[in-house]
Amino acid sequence: METHLICLAVALVGGLMLSRLTKKLNLPAVTAYLVAGLILGPFLLGRLNIPGLGFNSLEQVEGLSIITKTALGFIAFTIGNEFRLSQLKSMGKSAITIGILQAVITTVVVDIVLIILHLCFPNIISIPCAITLGAIASATAPAATLMVVRQYKADGPLTKLLMLVVAIDDAVGLVLFSVSFGIATALSAGQVSILAVVVEPIIEIILSLALGSVMGWLLDWVERFFHSRSKRMTISVAFVLLTVGMSMLKFQIGPVHCGFSLLLVCMMTGTIFCNICDTSEELMGRIESWTTPVNVLFFVISGAELDLNVLVQPVTLLVGVIYIIARSAGKYYGANISCRISKEPKPIVDNLGITLLPQAGVALGMAMTAATLADGVLARNVVLFAVLIYELIGPTLTKRSLTAVGEIKPENRTSSRTLNPTR
């Protein structure tokens, strides 16, 4: 136990110290946290096997999944804050159109490119693996995007639209992956399962939205019994933890496997709560400050999870590079086309696609499921390689795009020590 605590403390301090360097390089703090995770991971400092100094194995890192799931829950809950009715009335239609269309276009582009690769080199990648990777390509990482927005206090039309699109993207990605993976499984087994391809994905989304709605309503009801800010924040944190735990439940009704999407459940909880609670804005701000250390740990652990063994596998590198190029083109041009259809202003048309490049937790979860295919290990390794690249450069590209449209102001370098000289 003491080793785990020391390791987590080192991870926090290491990530924060490295963020001082990345600030001088004008890079987002989230990049520092990911690099700190790589350094402390099982392929660098972790290999020294010094207790408390780094993560000694991928199994040890995976054992901290409760922290990453909790952090994702809070991130999704705060993203729900973006779905206020006042905001949905102004840009909800555009966000839905863009969120669906760019995800579908990305999947189609990656599918076509990888299927052509299969036709040219059948021994490198199979059709089931190709269409599964196409669906995984649709997923965007909400965590990295939210961290950049928070760090630089970005605000404006692009930022607001981006947060809505990222949230919608996860729901669309879930459907695309479920359908594609069902088809891939059918191609591998030689039979099509309507349950796996159509019924189960729809049930998962309906159950997730229903559970999130109930939890959001309950949180508002229970929160009314408390009046102090600290107690109301505490009950909010407790409800997010409860929601994360309940979203992990799985059960079966007859032949139908039922489950929940952690991101969708927590986003819906945040959405309902923010639209029915008069003091939700202030509570969200307090929760964001409380969860900062958890978010830092999330990215450090995410960096430590990246398997550097994929860098020595020629086939993975080849397919990975093609996947990254195809996905990047799909995201950029998909967002560009859908923004034009929605008649968005030119700055958004030119920059939204770049902000959708980060990819992490959701895609990795899909990749773990895809690993059950005949050549699913290739799909998993390709996604691992892509996440490594996207997570290191994605936040920087997001920052540059938001800066280009004037939604990130020059950083205020005033020290909190100056503001609080007595402390």
Side-chain angles (χ1 to χ4, degrees):
M1 181 65 71
E2 63 273 12
T3 301
H4 288 301
L5 290 174
I6 294 171
C7 193
L8 291 176
V10 170
L12 270 174
V13 174
L16 291 173
M17 293 301 291
L18 197 60
S19 70
R20 301 303 302 167
L21 174 61
T22 56
K23 186 173 184 179
K24 294 183 182 297
L25 298 174
N26 209 24
L27 296 173
V30 63
T31 303
Y33 305 148
L34 290 163
V35 173
L38 279 173
I39 294 172
L40 294 170
F43 300 97
L44 294 173
L45 286 181
R47 298 193 69 173
L48 300 177
N49 288 321
I50 299 175
L53 182 62
F55 305 97
N56 302 136
S57 66
L58 287 174
E59 288 72 23
Q60 182 185 354
V61 181
E62 290 167 2
L64 300 172
S65 62
I66 187 171
I67 295 176
T68 57
K69 288 184 183 299
T70 299
L72 272 178
F74 279 104
I75 288 167
F77 180 72
T78 53
I79 287 177
N81 189 39
E82 304 298 324
F83 285 88
R84 293 182 180 273
L85 289 178
S86 57
Q87 194 157 307
L88 288 175
K89 288 177 182 177
S90 62
M91 58 176 59
K93 185 178 179 181
S94 294
I96 292 171
T97 301
I98 296 168
I100 294 174
L101 197 54
Q102 59 82 25
V104 172
I105 290 174
T106 301
T107 295
V108 171
V109 169
V110 176
D111 277 347
I112 291 173
V113 171
L114 293 182
I115 288 173
I116 290 174
L117 178 64
H118 164 76
L119 296 176
C120 296
F121 305 98
N123 294 330
I124 289 181
I125 187 170
S126 68
I127 292 289
C129 183
I131 62 175
T132 302
L133 282 172
I136 294 174
S138 66
T140 298
T145 303
L146 182 63
M147 286 291 282
V148 172
V149 169
R150 280 184 183 174
Q151 180 184 351
Y152 297 104
K153 297 178 175 61
D155 189 32
L158 176 58
T159 301
K160 289 182 171 64
L161 180 61
L162 169 63
M163 297 308 296
L164 289 173
V165 169
V166 166
I168 293 168
D169 180 274
D170 287 317
V172 178
L174 174 65
V175 175
L176 289 172
F177 177 75
S178 298
V179 173
S180 296
F181 183 68
I183 294 172
T185 303
L187 290 174
S188 299
Q191 58 182 3
V192 177
S193 171
I194 300 299
L195 281 178
V197 175
V198 179
V199 177
E200 290 181 357
I202 294 175
I203 289 177
E204 181 170 338
I205 291 174
I206 292 173
L207 287 176
S208 298
L209 295 178
L211 177 60
S213 298
V214 171
M215 296 304 292
W217 180 83
L218 281 176
L219 172 57
D220 176 63
W221 180 71
V222 173
E223 185 264 343
R224 294 175 188 272
F225 290 98
F226 302 92
H227 302 286
S228 73
R229 291 179 176 178
S230 58
K231 288 180 179 178
R232 285 165 54 229
M233 186 192 74
T234 301
I235 201 67
S236 299
V237 170
F239 257 79
V240 175
L241 293 175
L242 176 61
T243 304
V244 170
M246 293 184 68
S247 69
M248 296 181 192
L249 297 174
K250 296 184 183 297
F251 55 95
Q252 190 168 341
I253 301 177
V256 181
H257 294 84
C258 301
F260 304 93
S261 165
L262 184 152
L263 286 173
L264 280 182
V265 173
C266 292
M267 271 192 276
M268 194 62 183
T269 302
T271 299
I272 297 297
F273 176 67
C274 288
N275 279 289
I276 63 177
C277 178
D278 296 333
T279 59
S280 61
E281 195 83 49
E282 179 261 340
L283 265 176
M284 282 294 187
R286 294 175 66 83
I287 290 174
E288 283 180 18
S289 61
W290 182 87
T291 57
T292 297
V294 179
N295 291 335
V296 173
L297 278 177
F298 169 78
F299 285 103
V300 174
I301 293 170
S302 296
E305 280 181 319
L306 297 176
D307 190 343
L308 298 186
N309 285 326
V310 299
L311 297 178
V312 296
Q313 300 170 3
V315 173
T316 298
L317 292 179
L318 171 64
V319 179
V321 169
I322 293 172
Y323 170 86
I324 289 172
I325 294 172
R327 178 181 181 271
S328 300
K331 283 290 179 184
Y332 180 79
Y333 289 106
N336 189 288
I337 292 169
S338 53
C339 282
R340 291 179 188 275
I341 292 173
S342 300
K343 298 180 180 179
E344 295 296 327
K346 192 174 187 302
I348 292 180
V349 172
D350 293 340
N351 290 281
L352 180 62
I354 297 173
T355 64
L356 296 174
L357 292 181
Q359 191 173 45
V362 179
L364 289 173
M366 293 176 177
M368 294 303 109
T369 302
T372 58
L373 292 171
D375 59 345
V377 174
L378 174 63
R380 179 181 67 86
N381 290 342
V382 166
V383 174
L384 283 171
F385 172 68
V387 166
L388 173 63
I389 303 302
Y390 279 127
E391 284 297 89
L392 293 178
I393 67 171
T396 302
L397 294 176
T398 298
K399 178 197 171 187
R400 288 183 178 179
S401 293
L402 293 175
T403 302
V405 298
E407 297 186 12
I408 288 181
K409 308 300 180 187
E411 286 188 80
N412 182 359
R413 298 185 180 276
T414 302
S415 172
S416 59
R417 294 179 182 274
T418 306
L419 298 175
N420 301 281
T422 59
R423 292 190 178 185

